[in-house]
Amino acid sequence: MRTVTTQQPARGSRARGTRQAQALAAALGSMPGFTSAQEIHAELRRKGEQVGLTTVYRHLQALSEAGDVDAIRDDNGEILYRRCETTAHHHHLTCRSCGRSVEVEGKAVEQWSERVATEAGFTEVGHTVELFGLCPDCGS
Amino acid sequence: MRTVTTQQPARGSRARGTRQAQALAAALGSMPGFTSAQEIHAELRRKGEQVGLTTVYRHLQALSEAGDVDAIRDDNGEILYRRCETTAHHHHLTCRSCGRSVEVEGKAVEQWSERVATEAGFTEVGHTVELFGLCPDCGS
DNA sequence: CATAGAAATGATAATGGTTTTCATTTCGGC
DNA sequence: GCCGAAATGAAAACCATTATCATTTCTATG
């Protein structure tokens, strides 16, 4: 085997300091709204970053489980990701046209779901709430 | 060449009266909660009804578009169907364990979503709201 | 009754996003 | 330098859903 001529960066802690992880984080941050794993992967390649699709999926999944990114499903069943701005529980108002999204609080919804569930005798209630519409720019 | 005898667009009386359609409707009605197309198909075969998977999908899709059944996506991206009990807009409180579901009204949610959207300048707002929990039977 | 044309059906193939597999590479520590 | 754990990624597997298309079923009509 040939000698390795140059060693790439990535000094320091491995998991988070990985070249791929950093590139992914950067890409995520540069996206205004929700984007699919595939799109993120494409964006990375466009930027010249070389990251495998598998790695993109793996990191997004990990980030999602860790609560560092939000994940929702669009109508086609694709999973869309977005970097979280707050760690508190929240929902999204997403533009159908451009994908831009706003995080919204949902106190009213939380209370409503609690009440409804209790009335029906349900426990350990969770909920999925997503809003879609046209943002000011795309609206007309 | 003979004159093309125009055929009256056959009424939908057939579509609904089809053996397969009836079997599907019956199966749907016998399921207490949300079920996937695959499960319904399996159930039909179990009953001895011979209905192709394609047909199951086709009918479910048609029924869904017609508003005769509700369709939601579970966490795995699968589409789950359930016969509608009311034609009015409503949401569901579904048991994570047994799949049983209750239809709930969501006036509070409608108003909340309207308000939030307006505040953000969004228009033509739609929403996805699903509640999950443990029903009285499965909860304790 | 025969018959043509339409709708409906369903076996099969294709799609496509996501996950697995597994061999390889990277990197910290000794 | 070397070992082993973690990370990576190309390729294959998965699997629900859709598209294809030949065949069957039904209905109206002559």
Side-chain angles (χ1 to χ4, degrees):
Chain A
M1 184 184 276
R2 193 154 285 264
T3 321
V4 180
T5 52
T6 55
Q7 218 59 302
Q8 287 304 312
R11 281 226 149 252
S13 110
R14 185 160 26 168
R16 197 162 286 177
T18 283
R19 172 178 61 79
Q20 291 90 337
Q22 286 182 350
L24 175 52
L28 254 180
S30 73
M31 311 274 194
F34 280 95
T35 41
S36 68
Q38 309 268 356
E39 273 183 86
I40 292 172
H41 179 240
E43 173 66 14
L44 285 171
R45 308 211 95 192
R46 215 172 293 130
K47 285 183 181 175
E49 298 286 354
Q50 189 165 325
V51 182
L53 181 57
T54 306
T55 302
V56 172
Y57 272 106
R58 246 193 310 249
H59 275 138
L60 286 175
Q61 206 168 317
L63 288 171
S64 174
E65 280 171 14
D68 292 331
V69 302
D70 291 315
I72 62 176
R73 263 179 207 280
D74 67 6
D75 290 336
N76 301 321
E78 281 181 73
I79 304 177
L80 304 182
Y81 301 90
R82 179 175 195 259
R83 193 178 52 177
C84 267
E85 284 168 359
T86 71
T87 61
H89 179 69
H90 57 270
H91 303 292
H92 298 96
L93 172 54
T94 308
C95 179
R96 259 190 283 267
S97 177
C98 68
R100 191 175 308 261
S101 77
V102 181
E103 297 187 353
V104 298
E105 214 183 313
K107 278 260 183 66
V109 176
E110 322 290 313
Q111 291 171 3
W112 167 79
S113 74
E114 275 298 332
R115 180 170 52 75
V116 166
T118 304
E119 282 174 7
F122 277 57
T123 53
E124 296 187 37
V125 185
H127 58 270
T128 300
V129 176
E130 297 300 336
L131 303 181
F132 297 94
L134 292 178
C135 74
D137 290 344
C138 301
S140 62
Chain B
M1 224 162 288
R2 199 169 274 278
T3 320
V4 180
T5 54
T6 50
Q7 210 81 330
Q8 288 283 15
R11 291 263 329 252
S13 61
R14 177 169 29 171
R16 202 157 289 174
T18 284
R19 171 179 61 79
Q20 291 90 337
Q22 286 181 350
L24 174 52
L28 254 180
S30 73
M31 310 275 195
F34 280 94
T35 41
S36 67
Q38 308 269 356
E39 273 184 84
I40 292 173
H41 179 241
E43 174 65 14
L44 286 171
R45 308 209 95 192
R46 216 171 292 132
K47 286 184 182 175
E49 299 285 354
Q50 189 164 323
V51 181
L53 181 58
T54 306
T55 301
V56 171
Y57 272 105
R58 246 192 312 247
H59 276 138
L60 286 175
Q61 205 168 318
L63 288 171
S64 174
E65 281 172 11
D68 292 331
V69 302
D70 292 315
I72 62 175
R73 262 179 209 281
D74 67 6
D75 290 336
N76 302 321
E78 280 181 76
I79 303 177
L80 304 183
Y81 300 90
R82 179 176 196 256
R83 193 178 49 176
C84 264
E85 285 168 359
T86 72
T87 61
H89 180 69
H90 58 270
H91 303 293
H92 298 95
L93 172 53
T94 307
C95 179
R96 259 190 284 266
S97 177
C98 69
R100 191 175 310 261
S101 77
V102 181
E103 298 187 352
V104 298
E105 213 184 313
K107 278 260 183 67
V109 175
E110 323 289 312
Q111 291 171 3
W112 168 78
S113 76
E114 275 297 333
R115 180 169 53 75
V116 166
T118 303
E119 282 173 8
F122 277 56
T123 54
E124 297 187 38
V125 185
H127 58 271
T128 299
V129 176
E130 298 299 336
L131 303 181
F132 298 94
L134 292 178
C135 74
D137 291 344
C138 301
S140 59

